[in-house]
Every structure is written in C-alpha cells, then in structure tokens.
Amino acid sequence: MKMYDLITKKKLGQVLSKDEIEFMVQGYSDNEIPDYQMSAMLMAIYFKGMNEQEATDLTLEMVSSGEVLTIDDDYLVDKHSTGGVADTTSLIVVPILAAAGCKVAKMSGRGLGHTGGTIDKLESFHGFNTEISNEKFLKQLGEIGVAIIGQTKNLAPVDKKIYALRDVTATVNSIPLIASSIMAKKLASGAKTIILDVKCGKGAFMSTLDEARELAYTMFKIGKRANRNMVAIISDMNHPLGMAIGNTLEVIDSIKVLDGKYVPRLSELCETIVVKTLVACKKAKNYNEAKDIYQNILTTKKGLDKFKELIIAQGGDGSYFEDFSKFDKALFESNILADKSGYIANIDALSLGKVAMDLGAGRVKKDDVIDLAAGIILKYHINEKVKKGEILATLYSNRTIDKRLIDKMKESISISKSKNSEELIYEIIK
Amino acid sequence: MKMYDLITKKKLGQVLSKDEIEFMVQGYSDNEIPDYQMSAMLMAIYFKGMNEQEATDLTLEMVSSGEVLTIDDDYLVDKHSTGGVADTTSLIVVPILAAAGCKVAKMSGRGLGHTGGTIDKLESFHGFNTEISNEKFLKQLGEIGVAIIGQTKNLAPVDKKIYALRDVTATVNSIPLIASSIMAKKLASGAKTIILDVKCGKGAFMSTLDEARELAYTMFKIGKRANRNMVAIISDMNHPLGMAIGNTLEVIDSIKVLDGKYVPRLSELCETIVVKTLVACKKAKNYNEAKDIYQNILTTKKGLDKFKELIIAQGGDGSYFEDFSKFDKALFESNILADKSGYIANIDALSLGKVAMDLGAGRVKKDDVIDLAAGIILKYHINEKVKKGEILATLYSNRTIDKRLIDKMKESISISKSKNSEELIYEIIK
C-alpha cells in the first residue's frame, strides 16, 4: 500500500477502506509517512470529506494509537461542548451527574479562546490540582464519582500529531477531522455514554445550523458505531449562554445554579443535558423520572455538595463556597449603562468573547497567562426589559479598562422596542 | 506575510497576489516554507485552480529562482510537446526550423514513459553527446543555428523542487501547475517564439479536449503575458502520431520525413508546426510564404542536411544517415498479422505505449536502461485498407517477445468494414 495512492483516491472523492486508514494513521504515527504527504491528504479530506464509516475508522485508529482507559462502570459518562461564550455547563452538569450516581471521569484542557478551559476555571479555587496520578484519579472516581484530570499525552497521541499539522496547514475546519479528533479522545477515555453540546451561531466555531448539524451527526454516528450511548444537542451561540464570561466569574455563576438559582438559558441547557444523559445511560427510566432526579438534586443541593467534594478532593480550598470574597478580585471594574429603555434585543456572543479576551480572560497563545478574575457580568439577558441609565453589564480586569473596550461592549448589546426571537436548543439527536 | 494565510486564501478559492506568490516561491526555494505547507497549498491549488495572472506570476517567480539564458536573436524559437506515442516531431521540426534560419536552442530531457526523451533518441547515433558546455552550446548555435543540451540544474531550479513534491503528493495533474512548470523552463531558456503541441486523447496526459484546451490556453497566455510570440496546437493522441514507436525507430522515421517521404499524420503535424512557427517569429510574412519555405526545405533536403550537421557537431557518427544498418538492431522481432480484411479503424495509442514500454523502449524508473533498438513499426495507419494475413506491425526487442505482448498488440489495432472518423489537429491558438 502506498500513501500516494491513498491521497489520489481521496483527491478523486473515493472512499478509503479501514485497512487504508489504518495504514495511513499508523504510518503517520510511526513517522513512516512524512508530514508533506499527510498534509496533502488532510487538504484533500477538507475538500472531499469522509463518509461516516471513514470518520469512524479514522477515530478508532487514532484511539488505538495510544492508551485506552477501561473503567468498568455502566454509568461512566462524558460530556463535550464545542465551546461557547458564557458556557459554564460542565461545572454544573458534572457534579449533578455525579450526585445522581453517574461516574464522571473528565479529562479537560486549558485551551485557547475567550476564556480558559475547565481546568483554568477550577483553579479559581486556590490549591485545586489536576496534575494527579492515574491511581489517584481512579480511586477518587470510585469514592466520590467524579474526578478531573488534565489531558494525558497517552490518549490518542496521533491525534495530537495530526492536529498540530492541521494547525499549520489550514486544515482545521474539516468536519470529519474535527469530529474524529474530538471523538478519539472521548472514546479513549472509556465513557459508556457521551453527551455532545454542539454550539451554533455567530459566537461558535460552527456558525450555521447546517454545519453544526453535520458536525453533531458525524460525532453522534461515530459514537454509535463504537457502541456508546450517544446524545447530541445543538444549542444556540448567537447570544452568550449564561450571565458570566470569565473564569472565576463563571465558577461563581455555576455555584449559583447548583444552589438552586435560575440563570436564564444556562439553567435550561444544564437541565436538558442532565436529563438526556440520565435517560441515555439508563440512570432514569424516562424523561419525567430524569427531570425529578434533576430537580431533587437542585432542591437538596446535592450537586453543590458534590462540587465542593470534588474541589476539596483535588486540593482546592472549599471555604470559597461559603465566602465568595475569597476568590481573586479584579483591580478594575467598569459599568456599561443602558442609553435607552426597551428590551435587550441582541447580545453579540462573538463580540463579547473578544471583549473578554481583551480584558485578559483568555489566551491567544499557548503560554499566555490568564487573568482568572477578568471578564464580564451581564445584568440582563436577551429579551429582558431595561430602563435607560441602568447597568447592563460590568467589565472586570486587572488591566486598566480603556474606552475602546467600553464602546465595543456597548455596541455588543442592542436595545429595541420589541422582543426578539430567541432560541436556545435547535435540535436534539438521540 | 504567513504561508498559513496564503493556504487559507487559496483553500477558499481566493486569488493570490504577485507579492504573495513571490513570498511563497522564494520562501520554498530558500527552505523557509516547509514541504508540509507547500503540499497543502499544492492540493488547494489542485482543487481551486489559479487564474491566468496567478499562473503567470508563479511561472515568472520560478524563472527568477535561477539562471535565465539571454540569447539576443529575434528568431530564437522553442517547441514543446506534452508527449505522445510515435511523436518524433522535434527531430523533424528542429532541423527544418534551423534550416529556415531560426535559432533552436533546445534543452531536452530523458524522461520517463513509453520511449526515452529527445536526448535518448539522438543517442542512437554513436558518439552523440549533449553534455556540452554553455560556451560550446552557444558557439554551435551561432554557427549552425541549432544545439541540443541536457536540462541544466540552473534553469528554474525551484520548479524541480516543487515538481518533486507534487510527484509524491498526488498533485501533478493540476493545469496551472503543469502550465507554469513547462513555461518556467521555456521562458528561462530565452526563446522569443514558443510553439506548444498539446496532445489530447487516450494516449495523452490530457484525455479530453476540454482539459487539453485549458492547458494550452493557460500556457499560451502565460507566454503572451511574458511577451513571447506564442502558438499552441492541440493535436490528437487517441491514435499514435507517426508509424514508429521507439528511440532508434523514431530517428529513422524522422529521417524519412526530412528526406521528403510522406508519413501519415506525422508529416502533416510537422508542416503545421513549422509553418505556424515561421509566421509567429516573422521568418515568413504569411501562411503561403511559410508553406513555400517548408516545401523548399524538404525538396532540397536542407532539413536533412541540418540534422546531419547537428549530429556531427555534437560528436555523433554522421555515416548512419547513409547506412541505416549502422543503427543498433534488436535481437528479436515479431510480426503482427491482420486476422481479417478491412480498414484500420483504431490504433490504441495508450496500449501501444504500454507495449513499447514492455519491449524495453522506455523507462519506468529514472535509472532504468533503455533498449534504443526496441519498439514498434506500424505498417498501416488509421483508415488504411488491409487484407487478412498482411503484416500490420512489427515488434522489436532485445528481450524475447512473449505471446502476451503479441496478443496485447493485436488487441490494440482493430479492423472494421468502414472507415472511422479521424482528426489530427483539433485547434490552433495564436
């Protein structure tokens, strides 16, 4: 078999067989196939795509390039979001699922973008540590049902090699390549049930519903073909999800939801994710039972307790839960006032993400240092009524907040005489 | 400027500017742009193409990556064929143009394929040598108007680097890349008038007229934008061009044409090429004058004399012209007989090329040794009448000729009750 012939096949839009994909992935993993052939192949895949079977074969080959976690528990669940603004669902959903009796063994990253990743956010608790051994990780998972670890190099290592090549050859935005990269890590981490939250809209990687649907279906089907319980939700990212953008600010927002407070949009999506997961992994017989479990966990604050248990188990300071003033605070803050009365017609998620980044909440480059306290708190969400002069939002940063950013923030929120149409969940694939 | 951004632009089908192409070609030439980015770009070009200006900019950048020959002669002409079966036009056209007062400074290759390149063919004359110094090359060109040299490493060297990468990444068959690669070498060699013979059909690289036309127009326009006199002919390669396939056999066929004999198809194409070139470079005022010059050269055998002069000037044994038995002969020959009477309806050029290769006339790999005496002589050409039992063709080889090859040869020639439509020249662009 020759890589040249495989490139030719894909270039002509033909389907690669399992053996051919195995040859390609293993050859690349073993440095027998050079980067220049792989990058030509990736560009051909960008143009010609892959069918479900090819994407599945690619995913499974990447899985078998490294270690596979085998945690023998029917209720082992995992959740993945393609990333959005004010999306702190993981911090809410993970402890609730653990409180419901699921096992959540989460590998999280730091990532680039308008805020840090789950690990960055959790480091808002002084002492919290995800650099734990596999043994401790598994032991903690058995004891409290939840553990969070940084991404290990041993899960699907060839995915990292391929991703690094995509990153420098403009071949990142290919749906089968995105889907297989995400799913390889999810499958390698052993979860029996995987719930995907694919964001769609101006503030997301997938800006149109068609693209989001294609990505969601591709990942869903890869998971199905690999015998996992799958749910994929396509949710809105034209507007920010919750009220907080920024690492510590999102942690505080998630504690509020776990404490039973209702946060527009965020609470609704969390409920949907939890309910669908409980049904998919068979912790609940049906929708109503799952909803009761969710409500009960909120009422009894068992989710909040589980969150605290997780933080303490991994070295974090649990006293923050009782005293939010212990979280780092930003030196500077600046209020954005409504310049007229009306309904909040639009909050531009993409634009807010950029403001948050400029405030210091995210990373542009891998080694940028995040300002955990930086970010934005929205006081009103979409379609809520506001009066001229009221505070619309507050910006937080340890840098001085210049007028340009305030103006940009103002432009991101528009006020109108009438309500706007607003959707949160476009589609659920199950 | 970043190569990543240029790949993205091309991937999205956008046009690269002159500066961007310069950045890309120089960066690749200087090893500042890695192979893996260049191969992703080449695949994006394969899918999205290049417009005329981009292809011209690419060509000129490749030209300026190396030496440019400056021979100050208005009648300096060059001819390029994209390669076909029984295509020995160069051996005929080059001496005729020189006899007509043009200067033909020809760089030729050895090449891979069903026969060798022009250099291989000319080595049928014992002692003929193309490894000559630039000084001798230019001196000979001044004295006798024609000289043939092997391709130097100094003309458009980055083209060789890009071609080598295309060759292993399945990105050879992109029309702007083919066109710029050919034209870079032609422009660097300094010819004022360039005549292109683009082959079209089953036995050619461009199998459809649309593809051939696109390649022809692309090269034509690159040449025009570089201020050269250009002619592009699109000629048939469904059927072989002449009656001989194989290095020495083609030399003998070309001598026949220069000696005034009419060889079907081959003679007609040579006349067209010469006539169009003479008009384009202004050696002739018009078609009729050019045709008279051509006929006169054939009648007076000045083309044949020029060919002999060339061979002797570069160390070849000129006595072969008087005694063809001096050419190496194959140990084995085998006749193909007509199994019925009728008209020759089809001679499959592609299939004949493969038979010639199997007889030893061509190279599969760069370092294969060519059997100069091997090949095929056709006794009848397309639409000629043949009787059952007559010899259709003879195979020559220094290997034993097995039955499989004879059968394959038989299948390549079909005989029918009626004549078939036959075209030689599809289009002339000028």
Side-chain angles (χ1 to χ4, degrees):
Chain A
M1 210 180 283
K2 284 182 194 154
M3 184 62 175
Y4 178 92
D5 297 327
L6 306 193
I7 301 170
T8 303
K9 275 186 86 167
K10 184 44 71 188
K11 193 181 80 170
L12 297 173
Q14 293 169 10
V15 173
L16 300 178
S17 72
K18 189 177 186 314
D19 286 351
E20 287 168 339
I21 289 172
E22 181 184 336
F23 172 84
M24 170 176 94
V25 175
Q26 285 197 2
Y28 190 58
S29 179
D30 297 346
N31 299 316
E32 278 161 16
I33 291 170
D35 286 340
Y36 57 78
Q37 285 192 320
M38 195 62 176
S39 66
M41 172 63 94
L42 293 169
M43 189 59 86
I45 292 172
Y46 169 82
F47 280 104
K48 289 295 181 175
M50 286 186 134
N51 69 18
E52 277 167 33
Q53 190 57 53
E54 287 177 293
T56 306
D57 291 338
L58 175 59
T59 308
L60 295 176
E61 269 313 314
M62 294 201 293
V63 169
S64 68
S65 75
E67 209 180 297
V68 176
L69 288 189
T70 44
I71 300 167
D72 194 20
D73 189 314
D74 287 345
Y75 301 117
L76 190 71
V77 302
D78 202 355
K79 177 237 164 197
H80 181 84
S81 159
T82 60
V85 177
D87 178 9
T88 187
T89 46
S90 282
L91 298 190
I92 299 162
V93 159
V94 165
I96 292 179
L97 287 171
C102 296
K103 293 280 186 291
V104 195
K106 195 144 182 61
M107 325 258 146
S108 289
R110 296 189 181 271
L112 305 174
H114 58 278
T115 66
T118 298
I119 291 181
D120 297 298
K121 294 177 188 176
L122 290 176
E123 283 175 354
S124 298
F125 295 98
H126 187 82
F128 186 83
N129 175 30
T130 54
E131 303 281 321
I132 55 179
S133 67
N134 274 359
E135 292 69 37
K136 180 178 163 39
F137 180 74
L138 293 173
K139 187 165 172 277
Q140 180 183 320
L141 186 67
E143 285 169 2
I144 69 169
V146 55
I148 295 187
I149 195 170
Q151 268 163 18
T152 84
K153 281 183 189 142
N154 301 330
L155 294 190
V158 74
D159 167 65
K160 286 183 191 66
K161 194 178 173 193
I162 294 174
Y163 191 87
L165 186 62
R166 286 166 61 203
D167 203 30
V168 292
T169 56
T171 48
V172 165
N173 62 337
S174 153
I175 285 180
L177 295 179
I178 296 168
S180 56
S181 175
I182 293 172
M183 289 303 292
K185 284 170 281 190
K186 294 288 142 188
L187 296 183
S189 70
K192 305 287 188 294
T193 301
I194 300 167
I195 185 142
L196 304 168
D197 179 17
V198 177
K199 301 294 188 188
C200 169
K202 279 178 288 184
F205 197 56
M206 301 284 124
S207 57
T208 70
L209 188 53
D210 279 349
E211 287 174 317
R213 195 177 271 142
E214 198 185 334
L215 177 59
Y217 271 91
T218 305
M219 293 195 290
F220 181 88
K221 285 173 178 172
I222 291 170
K224 277 290 185 187
R225 281 171 189 252
N227 290 316
R228 310 301 167 105
N229 303 315
M230 296 295 302
V231 178
I233 295 171
I234 302 173
S235 67
D236 177 75
M237 194 36 65
N238 287 302
H239 308 303
L241 180 63
M243 305 294 274
I245 301 151
N247 301 275
T248 299
L249 302 175
E250 291 185 29
V251 167
I252 294 170
D253 223 28
S254 67
I255 292 174
K256 282 184 193 159
V257 175
L258 289 168
D259 199 27
K261 295 194 179 61
Y262 182 80
V263 174
R265 292 165 60 90
L266 177 60
S267 289
E268 188 187 337
L269 184 60
C270 288
E271 180 176 334
T272 304
I273 292 173
V274 169
V275 166
K276 294 296 168 190
T277 308
L278 293 177
V279 174
C281 76
K282 303 192 178 63
K283 260 291 166 198
K285 278 202 231 44
N286 53 41
Y287 173 80
N288 286 334
E289 189 178 312
K291 204 166 169 177
D292 287 347
I293 295 172
Y294 178 79
Q295 282 304 336
N296 182 263
I297 288 170
L298 282 192
T299 313
T300 58
K301 304 196 197 304
K302 280 184 186 159
L304 186 57
D305 293 344
K306 188 57 77 179
F307 193 16
K308 194 169 162 184
E309 215 175 342
L310 165 68
I311 296 301
I312 293 167
Q314 293 191 215
D317 186 342
S319 70
Y320 287 29
F321 284 87
E322 279 74 51
D323 182 4
F324 286 2
S325 73
K326 290 193 170 185
F327 285 113
D328 286 345
K329 277 215 168 39
L331 284 175
F332 303 100
E333 54 181 88
S334 191
N335 289 326
I336 308 298
L337 305 182
D339 53 9
K340 60 180 171 186
S341 298
Y343 294 98
I344 306 285
N346 188 42
I347 307 175
D348 184 324
L350 180 63
S351 175
L352 257 61
K354 286 178 184 165
V355 172
M357 184 80 110
D358 286 345
L359 291 167
R363 286 184 189 92
V364 182
K365 298 188 306 291
K366 252 187 200 172
D367 45 2
D368 285 349
V369 176
I370 281 186
D371 177 356
L372 291 174
I376 305 165
I377 292 288
L378 298 170
K379 305 288 182 188
Y380 292 91
H381 218 306
I382 197 90
N383 286 334
E384 289 182 322
K385 211 170 182 178
V386 69
K387 276 186 196 150
K388 184 175 173 175
E390 284 182 326
I391 298 172
L392 286 179
T394 308
L395 309 186
Y396 298 89
S397 184
N398 283 304
R399 309 170 184 172
T400 52
I401 300 168
D402 66 17
K403 194 177 167 302
R404 190 190 55 83
L405 264 188
I406 292 170
D407 290 345
K408 204 170 158 189
M409 186 64 199
K410 271 188 181 158
E411 286 165 18
S412 310
I413 303 178
S414 64
I415 298 168
S416 158
K417 284 187 179 163
S418 55
K419 290 192 179 188
N420 203 342
S421 69
E422 184 220 346
E423 280 192 271
L424 176 62
I425 294 170
Y426 295 109
E427 196 166 327
I428 299 176
I429 306 164
K430 57 183 180 179
Chain B
M1 210 178 285
K2 284 182 193 155
M3 184 62 175
Y4 179 92
D5 297 328
L6 305 192
I7 302 171
T8 303
K9 276 187 86 167
K10 185 44 69 188
K11 192 181 83 171
L12 297 173
Q14 294 169 12
V15 173
L16 299 178
S17 72
K18 188 177 186 317
D19 286 352
E20 288 169 336
I21 289 172
E22 182 184 336
F23 172 85
M24 172 176 93
V25 174
Q26 284 198 3
Y28 189 58
S29 180
D30 299 344
N31 299 316
E32 276 161 18
I33 291 170
D35 286 338
Y36 56 80
Q37 285 191 320
M38 194 61 176
S39 67
M41 173 63 94
L42 293 169
M43 188 59 86
I45 293 172
Y46 169 83
F47 280 104
K48 289 294 182 177
M50 284 185 135
N51 69 18
E52 277 168 33
Q53 190 57 54
E54 288 176 292
T56 305
D57 291 337
L58 175 59
T59 307
L60 294 176
E61 269 313 315
M62 294 202 293
V63 170
S64 67
S65 75
E67 207 181 299
V68 176
L69 288 189
T70 44
I71 300 167
D72 194 19
D73 190 313
D74 287 344
Y75 300 117
L76 192 71
V77 301
D78 202 354
K79 178 239 162 194
H80 181 82
S81 159
T82 60
V85 177
D87 178 8
T88 188
T89 47
S90 282
L91 298 191
I92 299 162
V93 158
V94 165
I96 291 179
L97 287 170
C102 295
K103 292 278 186 293
V104 196
K106 194 143 184 61
M107 326 258 147
S108 289
R110 295 189 181 272
L112 305 175
H114 58 279
T115 66
T118 297
I119 292 181
D120 297 299
K121 292 177 188 174
L122 290 176
E123 284 175 352
S124 298
F125 294 97
H126 188 82
F128 187 84
N129 176 29
T130 55
E131 302 281 321
I132 56 179
S133 68
N134 274 359
E135 293 69 38
K136 179 176 165 38
F137 180 73
L138 294 173
K139 187 166 173 275
Q140 180 183 321
L141 187 66
E143 286 170 1
I144 67 169
V146 56
I148 297 188
I149 196 171
Q151 268 163 18
T152 85
K153 281 182 189 142
N154 301 330
L155 295 190
V158 74
D159 167 65
K160 283 181 194 69
K161 194 179 173 193
I162 294 174
Y163 191 87
L165 186 62
R166 287 165 62 203
D167 202 31
V168 292
T169 56
T171 49
V172 166
N173 62 336
S174 153
I175 283 179
L177 296 179
I178 296 169
S180 56
S181 175
I182 293 172
M183 289 303 293
K185 284 170 283 188
K186 296 287 139 189
L187 296 183
S189 71
K192 305 287 187 292
T193 302
I194 299 167
I195 185 141
L196 305 168
D197 179 18
V198 177
K199 300 294 186 187
C200 169
K202 277 177 288 182
F205 198 54
M206 302 284 124
S207 56
T208 72
L209 188 53
D210 280 349
E211 288 173 316
R213 194 177 272 140
E214 198 186 334
L215 177 60
Y217 272 92
T218 305
M219 292 195 291
F220 181 89
K221 286 172 177 172
I222 291 170
K224 278 289 186 189
R225 281 170 188 253
N227 290 318
R228 309 302 167 104
N229 303 317
M230 296 295 300
V231 179
I233 295 172
I234 303 172
S235 66
D236 177 75
M237 195 35 67
N238 287 303
H239 308 302
L241 181 62
M243 304 294 273
I245 302 151
N247 301 276
T248 299
L249 301 175
E250 290 185 29
V251 167
I252 294 170
D253 224 27
S254 67
I255 293 174
K256 282 183 193 159
V257 175
L258 289 167
D259 199 25
K261 295 196 177 61
Y262 182 80
V263 175
R265 292 164 63 90
L266 176 61
S267 289
E268 187 186 337
L269 184 61
C270 287
E271 180 176 334
T272 305
I273 292 174
V274 169
V275 166
K276 295 293 168 191
T277 308
L278 292 176
V279 173
C281 76
K282 302 191 177 65
K283 262 289 166 197
K285 279 201 228 49
N286 53 40
Y287 173 80
N288 286 334
E289 189 178 314
K291 206 167 166 175
D292 287 346
I293 295 174
Y294 178 79
Q295 282 305 335
N296 182 263
I297 288 170
L298 281 193
T299 312
T300 58
K301 302 195 197 305
K302 280 184 187 159
L304 185 57
D305 293 344
K306 189 57 80 178
F307 193 16
K308 194 170 160 184
E309 215 176 341
L310 165 67
I311 296 300
I312 293 168
Q314 293 191 216
D317 185 343
S319 69
Y320 287 29
F321 284 87
E322 278 74 52
D323 182 4
F324 286 3
S325 73
K326 289 193 170 183
F327 285 114
D328 286 344
K329 277 216 166 39
L331 283 176
F332 303 101
E333 54 180 89
S334 190
N335 291 326
I336 308 298
L337 305 182
D339 53 10
K340 59 181 171 185
S341 298
Y343 294 98
I344 305 287
N346 186 42
I347 306 175
D348 183 326
L350 180 62
S351 175
L352 256 61
K354 285 178 184 165
V355 172
M357 185 78 110
D358 286 345
L359 291 168
R363 286 185 190 89
V364 182
K365 298 188 307 293
K366 253 187 197 170
D367 45 2
D368 285 349
V369 176
I370 282 188
D371 177 355
L372 291 174
I376 304 165
I377 292 288
L378 298 170
K379 305 290 180 186
Y380 291 93
H381 218 308
I382 197 91
N383 285 335
E384 289 184 320
K385 210 170 181 178
V386 69
K387 274 185 200 156
K388 184 175 171 175
E390 283 183 324
I391 297 172
L392 287 177
T394 307
L395 309 186
Y396 298 88
S397 183
N398 283 305
R399 309 170 184 170
T400 51
I401 301 168
D402 65 17
K403 194 175 168 301
R404 191 189 55 81
L405 265 187
I406 292 171
D407 290 344
K408 204 171 158 187
M409 185 64 200
K410 271 189 183 161
E411 285 163 20
S412 311
I413 304 178
S414 64
I415 298 168
S416 157
K417 284 188 179 162
S418 55
K419 289 192 179 188
N420 203 343
S421 68
E422 185 220 344
E423 280 194 272
L424 176 62
I425 293 170
Y426 294 110
E427 197 166 326
I428 297 176
I429 307 164
K430 55 184 181 180

